[in-house]
C-alpha cells in the first residue's frame, strides 16, 4: 500500500541516519562480528564504516529495508484478513480480490501467517543495496560537509529539516522507480505510477521525521 511503502522508506532512512546494524562481509570477519560482545560488535561496525563506508551502508540499508518489508507484509496480511472477516459473505469486487490474496496463505502457526512474497523482499533488498544505500551515503556526506555550526542541536535539527524537505521526496521517487523497473514496468507505467502515488507516499514518510 502507499502508506506502508512511504512509512517503510521513512523508517529506513531514519534508522540509517541514527541506528547501526550489521554489514555482511566475507570470511572470519563475519564470524568475529557475530560472536563478539555488543561493544566489540559496535567497534567492528565502526571499523567497517571507516574502511568500507559505501559497502557497509548499502548492506545496512538492504538489511533494514528487507526487515521492514517483512513486517509490512505481515501487517498488510492482518489488515486484509480482518477486513475480510468484517465483510464475510460479501460478493463485492474488493472482497473477491482480498479473498484471492488470502487463499495463498493456507498454513498458519500460532495465528501468524506463513505466506511471504519472497520476490517482493528480493526486490526491496536489491533496492536497498543498489539505490537507497549509495544515495544516502552521498547525501549525508553532502550534509556533513555543508551544515557546519558550533551548536550541535541546531546542526542536527537543520540536517533533519533538509533531509525531510529535499532528500525524502527524491528518495521516495527513486524507490518507486527502482522497484517498478525491477518488476519489469516500462517508462510510461513507471511515470503514471509515480504521478499517482508520489505525493501520498512522501507525506507518509514525513510522519517519522518529527520522531
Amino acid at each position: 500500500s502507499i502508506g506502508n511503502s512511504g512509512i517503510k522508506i521513512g523508517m529506513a532512512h531514519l534508522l540509517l541516519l541514527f541506528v547501526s546494524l550489521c554489514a555482511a562481509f566475507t570470511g572470519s570477519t563475519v564470524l568475529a562480528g557475530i560472536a563478539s560482545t555488543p561493544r566489540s560488535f559496535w567497534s567492528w561496525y565502526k571499523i567497517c564504516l571507516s574502511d568500507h563506508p559505501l559497502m557497509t551502508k548499502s548492506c545496512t540499508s538492504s538489511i533494514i529495508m528487507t526487515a521492514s518489508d517483512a513486517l509490512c507484509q505481515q501487517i498488510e496480511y492482518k489488515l486484509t484478513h480482518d477486513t475480510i472477516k468484517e465483510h464475510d459473505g460479501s460478493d463485492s469486487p474488493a472482497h473477491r480480490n482480498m479473498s484471492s490474496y488470502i487463499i495463498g496463505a493456507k498454513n498458519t502457526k500460532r495465528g501468524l501467517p506463513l505466506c511471504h512474497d519472497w520476490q517482493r523482499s528480493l526486490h526491496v533488498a536489491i533496492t536497498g543495496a543498489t539505490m537507497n544505500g549509495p544515495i544516502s551515503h552521498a547525501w549525508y556526506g553532502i550534509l556533513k560537509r555543508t551544515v557546519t555550526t558550533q551548536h550541535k542541536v541546531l546542526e542536527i535539527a537543520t540536517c533533519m529539516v533538509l533531509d525531510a524537505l529535499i532528500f525524502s521526496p527524491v528518495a521516495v521517487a527513486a524507490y518507486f522507480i527502482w522497484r517498478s523497473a525491477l518488476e519489469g514496468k516500462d517508462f510510461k507505467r513507471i511515470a503514471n505510477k509515480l504521478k499517482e502515488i508520489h505525493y501520498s507516499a512522501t507525506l507518509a514518510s514525513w510522519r517519522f521525521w518529527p520522531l
Side-chain angles (χ1 to χ4, degrees):
S1 67
I2 296 174
N4 280 341
S5 296
I7 290 172
K8 177 168 55 182
I9 299 167
M11 181 187 297
H13 291 158
L14 192 62
L15 288 173
L16 189 61
L17 185 58
F18 294 107
V19 179
S20 296
L21 291 179
C22 172
F25 292 104
T26 59
S28 60
T29 308
V30 172
L31 298 178
I34 294 174
S36 63
T37 63
R39 178 171 295 184
S40 41
F41 175 83
W42 171 241
S43 300
W44 166 77
Y45 185 83
K46 288 195 294 184
I47 292 173
C48 291
L49 279 174
S50 177
D51 294 345
H52 311 281
L54 179 58
M55 177 68 72
T56 302
K57 292 173 185 177
S58 294
C59 290
T60 301
S61 176
S62 182
I63 292 169
I64 291 174
M65 293 184 69
T66 303
S68 63
D69 175 70
L71 178 61
C72 281
Q73 288 197 40
Q74 298 303 309
I75 294 174
E76 289 168 0
Y77 176 92
K78 187 177 186 309
L79 291 176
T80 305
H81 186 270
D82 290 346
T83 302
I84 288 178
K85 289 175 65 177
E86 291 175 3
H87 298 84
D88 191 27
S90 171
D91 194 38
S92 66
H95 177 265
R96 289 196 299 270
N97 289 337
M98 288 187 292
S99 298
S100 298
Y101 176 83
I102 294 297
I103 287 174
K106 294 181 179 179
N107 298 320
T108 60
K109 182 179 182 181
R110 296 182 181 179
L112 295 177
L114 297 180
C115 66
H116 188 85
D117 189 342
W118 293 104
Q119 185 179 47
R120 168 175 152 175
S121 290
L122 176 62
H123 290 171
V124 170
I126 293 173
T127 302
T130 61
M131 185 280 292
N132 190 72
I135 68 170
S136 296
H137 170 70
W139 169 247
Y140 295 133
I142 293 173
L143 282 183
K144 185 176 181 179
R145 294 189 299 269
T146 305
V147 181
T148 55
T149 176
Q150 298 297 325
H151 303 281
K152 289 299 180 182
V153 175
L154 178 60
E155 180 180 344
I156 293 173
T158 302
C159 287
M160 292 188 70
V161 170
L162 292 175
D163 203 36
L165 296 180
I166 298 176
F167 181 67
S168 186
V170 174
V172 169
Y175 173 84
F176 284 113
I177 292 172
W178 226 261
R179 286 288 310 279
S180 298
L182 288 171
E183 292 170 2
K185 293 184 172 66
D186 57 29
F187 177 80
K188 184 176 180 180
R189 293 175 66 188
I190 293 175
N192 290 336
K193 181 176 181 179
L194 198 60
K195 182 178 179 181
E196 177 185 352
I197 65 179
H198 180 259
Y199 178 73
S200 298
T202 301
L203 288 181
S205 73
W206 282 344
R207 294 176 188 174
F208 276 83
W209 295 114
L211 301 178

